[in-house]
Amino acid sequence: MEGGMGGGGGQQELSADNVRGIVLALLSSGFIGSSFIIKKKGLHRAAVSSGISAGVGGHSYLLEPLWWVGMITMIVGEIANFVAYAFAPAVLVTPLGALSIIVSAVLAHFILNERLHALGVLGCVMCIAGSMVIVIHAPLEQEITSVKEIWHMATQPSFLLYVASVIVLVSVLVFHFSPLWGQSNVLIYTAICSLMGSLSVMSVKALGTSLKLTFEGTNQLAYPETWFFMLVVAICVLTQMNYLNKALDTFNTAVVSPIYYVMFTSLTILASIIMFKDWSGQSLGSITSEICGLIVVLSGTILLHVTKDYERIPQSRIGLYAPLSPTSATRLNGELLRHVEEDARRTDDEEKVLRRQEMY
């Protein structure tokens, strides 16, 4: 590995590849977070000019230049994120994706006049603090010279067991639980997306590393393993798109987003630890710090989404919901809960379209 894996209790310095991965992940978050605001402005402009919003089936935004600026910005961000996985471990790159939420929240505060309240600010601070802890204690990226090495990692018994478990769980969720409870339980669709997402990230990292080696002069496209990883990426991403669409069309975006992010991030890190042995050679203190940093990032992300969800409730109804204690809230009857959900969904049409585009 580049620079070696730091054993013992001493803190290890960031490798050059880790620094590149961090910079690319931060750039990705900046581009993706900004794209959300640009596309939302484009959607608003298109809706005003055509009289039909995207949330009710309008497609006039395709003729709006500002929306395309946002889309191109998002694509640049996704490319940067893809390349980041070729340089740094998934346990480092994936949690940094939460910073895109901070960028969009801060820009929305100044550009879209969507107020960022105290809980939102706290969520931003938690995401930044947790990300810094993860960066400081992140494992070094392994030095890989061939896609054959990645294939060896992907076919080790422990990771094959993880892959088999994912396939079994996804099959059970798709063919048994989804028809029965998919429309009433948000965990069904988000679990399918997250499980398949963890495999797609491992394949993206394998594919990205292969392309990096190819550009450096060691052709990896001649190996069938490279094309196999590309096929896995396509299958996993298409499955994610399908069930993420179902989740966003069925449930409120503010419910889907934090659950999906927490599950996806946790499963991706677990898969990376199993396949790439990210924690091998790290001290117990570094591993504990990374786990604590991840928990802080996940908690901050949830706070940000909870704040945004509260903002979408019309002011005329805040007096109805705000004073409720947790005990009182659990006693709300089903009719009122459905009314709240429908109310939030009506104000969430455009953001649902944006989230669907952004979360792929």
Side-chain angles (χ1 to χ4, degrees):
M1 297 181 185
E2 189 173 324
M5 291 298 290
Q11 182 180 311
Q12 53 196 13
E13 295 183 1
L14 289 173
S15 67
D17 274 355
N18 271 24
V19 172
R20 293 188 190 101
I22 292 169
V23 171
L24 286 167
L26 292 177
L27 287 173
S28 170
S29 294
F31 279 115
I32 292 174
S34 302
S35 74
F36 187 82
I37 305 303
I38 298 171
K39 286 192 294 180
K40 191 165 186 177
K41 291 284 285 186
L43 286 172
H44 278 301
R45 186 179 293 179
V48 169
S49 62
S50 68
I52 304 175
S53 69
V56 294
H59 295 91
S60 59
Y61 61 87
L62 295 174
L63 302 176
E64 174 55 51
L66 186 60
W67 183 87
W68 281 106
V69 170
M71 178 58 70
I72 293 170
T73 304
M74 186 188 72
I75 292 172
V76 171
E78 293 295 351
I79 292 173
N81 189 58
F82 176 87
V83 178
Y85 279 111
F87 288 99
V91 70
L92 172 59
V93 175
T94 305
L96 292 180
L99 298 180
S100 65
I101 303 173
I102 296 178
V103 173
S104 66
V106 172
L107 291 179
H109 177 80
F110 291 104
I111 297 176
L112 301 179
N113 297 319
E114 296 180 2
R115 292 188 61 193
L116 189 62
H117 289 285
L119 277 180
V121 174
L122 177 60
C124 291
V125 172
M126 290 174 68
C127 287
I128 294 172
S131 297
M132 290 177 63
V133 171
I134 292 172
V135 167
I136 291 171
H137 297 279
L140 299 178
E141 173 70 347
Q142 299 186 40
E143 185 177 347
I144 297 172
T145 58
S146 171
V147 70
K148 292 283 189 181
E149 294 180 35
I150 306 177
W151 181 257
H152 176 72
M153 297 175 188
T155 54
Q156 60 187 316
S158 56
F159 188 70
L160 288 177
L161 179 60
Y162 177 80
V163 173
S165 301
V166 168
I167 293 174
V168 170
L169 285 172
V170 169
S171 299
V172 171
L173 288 169
V174 168
F175 296 110
H176 178 69
F177 289 100
S178 180
L180 295 175
W181 299 295
Q183 296 292 313
S184 60
N185 191 327
V186 68
L187 294 177
I188 305 297
Y189 294 149
T190 51
I192 295 172
C193 292
S194 302
L195 287 164
M196 296 300 291
S198 67
L199 296 184
S200 70
V201 169
M202 296 305 100
S203 300
V204 162
K205 182 169 178 61
L207 182 60
T209 303
S210 299
L211 294 177
K212 183 184 80 167
L213 291 171
T214 299
F215 290 133
E216 290 175 351
T218 307
N219 185 21
Q220 302 296 306
L221 299 179
Y223 295 107
E225 290 85 353
T226 300
W227 298 99
F228 177 81
F229 285 127
M230 189 178 297
L231 176 64
V232 173
V233 169
I235 293 172
C236 291
V237 169
L238 287 174
T239 305
Q240 282 179 271
M241 288 172 62
N242 181 41
Y243 283 95
L244 185 58
N245 270 335
K246 290 177 180 289
L248 291 172
D249 285 337
T250 307
F251 304 98
N252 191 280
T253 306
V255 175
V256 174
S257 296
I259 294 175
Y260 175 63
Y261 179 79
V262 169
M263 293 177 70
F264 168 74
T265 302
S266 302
L267 288 169
T268 297
I269 290 175
L270 174 62
S272 183
I273 291 169
I274 296 172
M275 179 172 170
F276 293 99
K277 301 292 188 291
D278 287 333
W279 284 350
S280 178
Q282 281 201 292
S283 67
L284 180 60
S286 293
I287 294 173
T288 303
S289 297
E290 288 172 43
I291 294 174
C292 291
L294 175 63
I295 292 173
V296 172
V297 170
L298 297 179
S299 302
T301 302
I302 293 172
L303 270 180
L304 276 168
H305 279 290
V306 167
T307 305
K308 289 170 71 178
D309 189 34
Y310 178 80
E311 280 297 298
R312 281 195 292 270
I313 298 176
Q315 293 296 319
S316 60
R317 296 190 179 278
I318 287 179
L320 175 62
Y321 306 130
L324 294 177
S325 66
T327 304
S328 301
T330 57
R331 294 176 182 171
L332 286 170
N333 59 48
E335 187 62 33
L336 179 55
L337 287 176
R338 281 195 299 273
H339 183 75
V340 173
E341 180 68 17
E342 290 170 1
D343 195 24
R345 187 174 298 172
R346 280 194 298 270
T347 61
D348 197 36
D349 283 338
E350 289 183 355
E351 185 158 344
K352 185 178 292 184
V353 173
L354 290 167
R355 285 292 182 190
R356 182 181 295 113
Q357 296 163 352
E358 189 172 83
M359 291 171 69
Y360 294 151

